[in-house]
Amino acid sequence: MFYTLLEAAGTAGAEGSVPGMGGGMMWISLILMIVVFYFLMIRPQRKQQKEQEAMMSALKPGDSIMTTSGFYGVILDIVEDTVIVEFGNNKNCRIPMNKAAIAQVDKPEAESSVEEEAEDKKEKKKMSLGKKKED
């Protein structure tokens, strides 16, 4: 069917037009559609896959996570593709689950470093205001 469409597009055209020009334009538009499809669909998906793999490889015990079903927990142990997660305040609720079920990792170190930077900026601002008052 696709071949007949290509053949019809190559032979169709107005009188006096150069034969074969319609087919060439069709190939260019087809290639252009493939390139657009790549940049809109395939490339972002690969980027997301790489980010997911990086997140999975950076997992360690003690990380707070959120599962794909929306449960929050803390990783206790990692064995190959399985993680043992503790949910809630109940220390007896430990569930082994697949690494692929982890949707998000919350790093407490990253949050504390952001807070420290904000405090440093406030202190610098206070110091600079103090110097201006002395002058």
Side-chain angles (χ1 to χ4, degrees), residues 31-47:
I31 291 171
L32 183 65
M33 285 175 41
I34 291 171
V35 168
V36 168
F37 181 76
Y38 173 78
F39 280 106
L40 291 179
M41 300 293 285
I42 297 171
R43 191 168 175 239
Q45 185 178 12
R46 284 186 182 171
K47 185 178 178 183

